[in-house]
Amino acid sequence: MRSAPPRLVPLGLAACLVSFLIALGPESGEGPSAPSPASSGSRELERGPELIREYFRRWHDPAPADLDPATLSRLRAEIRALGESEARGGEAPWTCFGPFGLATSPGGTYSGRILDLDAGVGGLRAVAAASGGVWTRDAGGWQPRTDALPSQWIGSLDVHPSDPNVMLAGTGEPFIRAGAGLFKTTDGGATWVNRPMSPPPATCFRVRWAANGTTVHGAFDLGYYRSTNGGDTWTRFLDLGAWPSDLALHPTDPSVLYLTIWGQGVFRSVNGGTIWNELPSPDLPQTDLGRGAITICASDPDRIYVTWANAASSLRGVYRTTDGGATWTDVSPHEFLWGQGWYNNTIAVSPTDPDLVLAGGGELLRTTDGGATWTGANDPALHADFHACEWSADGTQVWVGHDGGFSHSTDAGLTWSAAENTLPITQFVLVGASPSAEPFVLGGGSQDNGISLTTDGGASWRFGHGGDGGGFSVHPTDPNVIYSTAGLYGGIWTFRRLRSTDGGANWNHVDGGIGVGSQWWIRVRNDLEDPPTWYSYGDGYVYRTTTGFWFGMNNTATAFPHFVSELTASRAGGNGGTVYACLDSAIDGERLRVWNGSAFEERSAGLPSGFAVRKVPSHPRDPDVAFALMNGIGNPGQKIFRTTDRGQQWTNVTGNLPDVPLADLVAHPTDDQRLYLGTEMGMFATTDGGGTWARWHDGLPEAVVVTELTYVDRLAETGEFHLVAGTYGRGIWARPVAPTATATPLPAAADPSLRLEAAGPNPFRDGTTLAFSLPRDSGVTLRLFDVSGRKVLDVLEERRPAGPHRVQIDGRALPAGVYFARLETELGVSSLPVTRLR
């Protein structure tokens, strides 16, 4: 059974992060649970790294934040069955625009979260990005090595001690995201092979080669595993129902190694990992233990250091032994974990000086006297939240991995540089682009790395301003004017709005007129007019501005029943612009408010019950057309709905799309049958208005997480239309979309009474009955498609009169699996997933 993350309680105030964590009960007997924040409408949102989990909890709802491996595997299989789009129109592939390092002032460079490092004779050889894969360096710079893997989430990596072409990568970041297992390469990352483990763990804390190059030790969420044949096969030797969060290998005696076991203590094996015993020293804490980290000195193996978080994730203590673990001394500094010890806790002793130690948590500390005194590192090349530390063999160089990438010191940790921290692994949550200005102005808000932007089409990037980043919106004709949002401010605005009028060089707060706003990841949008109207929100209210001072569009008498979770605006048309406010609610009649020119109306009728609306992206050209993307997982066949009348009626255009978490959609500007969809599991496209979908992924990493789409429309000027995709861990990408000579019109909106329903049974074994009702006579076609979009059964094709109808389906010849029944009439289209059991 898969382990649950640690139980956390509110504690900790940090220099730039505040962690409010909540204590929850056990999950299904699997042990203590990680934070599972409730709706933002009912309480103040947590802050700190647990917001990573909150971000995905909201996206997956009603499924959990940390999807289980079986669900991820099923979704990957369904996606593979779709195949790659064959109707790309000759477009070039996706291209990464960066950021290739975010220049900060003075002298720093940020990228994204690094969880593990490997240094060799020539310096830093490989890094593991939390959601950006494994990277190694060659003469051309940093290169991605795991783009073909089914997971980009890497918990740990290690390079063979004598052959740099051989590497192991353990996927899955503990407590954040399940991976797809452990992978091995023998050709420097060109190809990888999955190495099965039993039972299969979901995440990896640490994987390390022994000096002999054949034995490998691994700390995974399901226990300690060992391989004696270079990682090809594995055996689990320790399962205490808790997590071995770190390991340390004796530098000269391969039979001796150590583990820190969550909630239990330091364990030692003296027979190479077969048998483990807890160190019984009374000098070590035996209770109130959370995540631990451990390090052993290469030149003095009796010198070991361990740092412990307590069960509440603040500092339990730092301890030193000089006799191989027989006795220990408390050498604790101040609380440097910042109440986030479940997330950031690392320690590393110099291989040549047993008194020189670096300890990382929220901040980085250094001692040169074995822990008697500690000094905090204060260098612009460092970033908060440290996850890994690696020394060179001679002890002169050291690297640290943190939420901003990695930093390098050539004087044993006295001063630092981030000049080589140029990996495009920024975790963007929201992105924006100049819609038509030359050159591309791209930017966005990211986890841990604030607002970043480029004003020269990706040639150089800079760090705009700090905090956790949110919305980013560029003026449609003047790219010097940019609005953004960022968090960590506190007060009545958890996230604040900022405006730049000089291309992002300087920013000013523009929150005048906004009431209390306690949500995270606030959006800001504009209607693409000249001059534009800008829109934002706070709690249950929507605001607009043309000057920077905001005016409420709904006053206290018409406050929404739930907080706003997403906001979009169409181009202004003949009836003015339309604003779509998605509410943080799955309750029918309380999900989607649409501005009708004078007031907001609820327009979620016709959308599937029980699910929130994640976003309503509007058409690039037609203000009447928009698409409702349903949130979460658990509603197959009911994911995407189109409106041609600003939300008064909705037509299902899900087609054969798998039940993946949706991010965003962009309609082709001149061909209404072509739609482009970003999801948590990559990009998709349709050329028939949503009847059949296929992967549209050429150039992107296989398992990239797309978080938001935007576009650059230059059809009138240059004949070009570019899609722009923000990703969670692989930066920002762009791709040209082939224009069409003439527009293909949309089919008429479906009559709201037209709905295909399962009269039962569903799932079925031998057959099932489908029902629908026609408001007037119509030609009717009913077919069955498999998940790849291939037609498998013609059920009905004839003219039917008005009234109710029932149609029987004989499914005995169908293989077991999920199918999509598609009803096409002159009144519109409706589809429904059906499942045949074995």
Side-chain angles (χ1 to χ4, degrees), residues 430-466:
L430 294 165
V431 296
S434 52
S436 58
E438 177 71 34
F440 280 179
V441 175
L442 305 177
S446 61
Q447 175 69 38
D448 303 314
N449 289 287
I451 293 292
S452 54
L453 70 156
T454 174
T455 57
D456 54 16
S460 63
W461 286 78
R462 66 175 179 268
F463 181 72
H465 57 82

Side-chain angles (χ1 to χ4, degrees), residues 350-484:
S350 165
T352 59
D353 183 350
D355 288 321
L356 177 56
V357 183
L358 295 177
E363 60 185 306
L364 183 67
L365 302 182
R366 182 176 185 263
T367 180
T368 59
D369 54 16
T373 59
W374 295 85
T375 302
N378 184 16
D379 195 297
L382 295 173
H383 188 290
D385 297 333
F386 293 84
H387 305 280
C389 184
E390 181 87 358
W391 290 87
S392 63
D394 62 6
T396 60
Q397 301 185 74
V398 63
W399 294 262
V400 289
H402 44 64
D403 277 3
F406 72 89
S407 305
H408 177 210
S409 172
T410 58
D411 54 14
L414 278 174
T415 61
W416 295 87
S417 169
E420 299 173 335
N421 183 28
T422 57
L423 292 83
I425 56 171
T426 306
Q427 296 174 320
F428 284 101
V429 294
L430 294 165
V431 296
S434 52
S436 58
E438 177 71 34
F440 280 179
V441 175
L442 305 177
S446 61
Q447 175 69 38
D448 303 314
N449 289 287
I451 293 292
S452 54
L453 70 156
T454 174
T455 57
D456 54 16
S460 63
W461 286 78
R462 66 175 179 268
F463 181 72
H465 57 82
D468 275 339
F472 188 90
S473 183
V474 186
H475 192 289
T477 60
D478 183 357
N480 288 310
V481 179
I482 307 169
Y483 279 69
S484 67

Side-chain angles (χ1 to χ4, degrees), residues 436-708:
S436 58
E438 177 71 34
F440 280 179
V441 175
L442 305 177
S446 61
Q447 175 69 38
D448 303 314
N449 289 287
I451 293 292
S452 54
L453 70 156
T454 174
T455 57
D456 54 16
S460 63
W461 286 78
R462 66 175 179 268
F463 181 72
H465 57 82
D468 275 339
F472 188 90
S473 183
V474 186
H475 192 289
T477 60
D478 183 357
N480 288 310
V481 179
I482 307 169
Y483 279 69
S484 67
T485 71
L488 294 174
Y489 291 106
I492 67 170
W493 302 306
T494 302
F495 255 57
R496 293 187 180 180
R497 295 142 201 86
L498 299 96
R499 181 180 62 186
S500 174
T501 57
D502 55 11
N506 297 282
W507 298 85
N508 294 303
H509 289 285
V510 286
D511 289 298
I514 300 285
V516 174
S518 57
Q519 306 108 300
W520 216 255
W521 308 295
I522 291 288
R523 278 70 164 165
V524 58
R525 311 290 189 188
N526 74 69
D527 61 5
L528 300 181
E529 296 302 304
D530 189 12
T533 299
W534 308 79
Y535 301 91
S536 191
Y537 56 92
D539 291 358
Y541 301 94
V542 174
Y543 302 86
R544 63 185 171 191
T545 185
T546 57
T547 64
F549 187 89
W550 302 86
F551 295 90
M553 297 177 68
N554 57 322
N555 56 36
T556 54
T558 56
F560 299 145
H562 306 275
F563 284 4
V564 179
S565 60
E566 176 62 277
L567 189 74
T568 54
S570 75
R571 285 184 177 272
N575 298 318
T578 302
V579 178
Y580 299 90
C582 301
L583 305 188
D584 188 11
S585 167
I587 301 172
D588 289 357
E590 299 179 359
R591 295 185 293 171
L592 177 63
R593 296 294 199 258
V594 181
W595 183 252
N596 65 10
S598 59
F600 281 100
E601 297 179 354
E602 173 69 23
R603 292 186 180 175
S604 62
L607 298 177
S609 299
F611 289 86
V613 181
R614 178 168 179 82
K615 187 175 185 178
V616 183
S618 59
H619 192 281
R621 300 283 182 88
D622 190 339
D624 293 328
V625 177
F627 301 83
L629 308 183
M630 305 310 297
N631 195 66
I633 298 176
N635 52 345
Q638 302 284 309
K639 307 291 290 186
I640 307 173
F641 292 78
R642 182 187 63 235
T643 179
T644 58
D645 54 14
R646 308 189 185 205
Q648 298 183 70
Q649 299 180 81
W650 298 96
T651 300
N652 190 343
V653 293
T654 306
N656 61 331
L657 187 73
D659 187 21
V660 297
L662 306 183
D664 207 350
L665 182 147
V666 173
H668 192 283
T670 60
D671 184 350
D672 291 324
Q673 295 299 304
R674 296 170 66 183
L675 309 174
Y676 305 94
L677 178 69
T679 79
E680 192 176 328
M681 305 186 81
M683 287 294 305
F684 301 83
T686 177
T687 58
D688 61 5
T692 54
W693 293 84
R695 292 263 274 174
W696 197 68
H697 208 73
D698 191 15
L700 285 170
E702 172 63 24
V704 72
V705 175
V706 177
T707 52
E708 186 167 45

Side-chain angles (χ1 to χ4, degrees), residues 5-26:
R7 183 175 184 172
L8 305 175
V9 297
L11 272 182
L13 177 63
C16 68
L17 293 176
V18 184
S19 297
F20 295 156
L21 302 138
I22 55 174
L24 300 175

Side-chain angles (χ1 to χ4, degrees), residues 145-306:
R145 300 304 185 191
T146 49
D147 279 4
L149 293 193
S151 176
Q152 288 289 306
W153 297 76
I154 310 296
S156 183
L157 69 83
D158 204 25
V159 180
H160 191 279
S162 60
D163 186 350
N165 287 315
V166 179
M167 293 183 286
L168 295 172
T171 65
E173 180 180 6
F175 318 128
I176 302 293
R177 180 70 165 219
L182 183 124
F183 292 82
K184 180 180 179 180
T185 179
T186 59
D187 53 16
T191 60
W192 294 81
V193 178
N194 180 258
R195 295 307 186 192
M197 307 175 79
S198 181
T203 60
C204 180
F205 284 97
R206 195 73 71 216
V207 60
R208 290 292 183 262
W209 292 90
N212 61 16
T214 57
T215 302
V216 190
H217 305 278
F220 295 85
D221 63 311
L222 293 186
Y224 162 79
Y225 293 70
R226 186 184 70 193
S227 171
T228 56
N229 55 7
D232 290 335
T233 60
W234 293 80
T235 302
R236 184 171 68 171
F237 284 95
L238 182 65
D239 172 26
L240 298 176
W243 310 284
S245 56
D246 202 5
L247 60 84
L249 312 182
H250 194 286
T252 59
D253 186 348
S255 64
V256 178
L257 55 155
Y258 299 83
L259 287 171
T260 52
I261 305 294
W262 204 303
Q264 300 193 31
V266 179
F267 281 66
R268 178 174 61 195
S269 175
V270 295
N271 59 2
T274 303
I275 298 175
W276 292 85
N277 293 290
E278 183 178 1
L279 293 182
S281 173
D283 306 318
L284 283 175
Q286 305 296 315
T287 60
D288 192 24
L289 295 175
R291 183 170 188 164
I294 190 167
T295 182
I296 185 169
C297 183
S299 61
D300 182 1
D302 286 333
R303 184 71 68 97
I304 305 170
Y305 296 82
V306 62

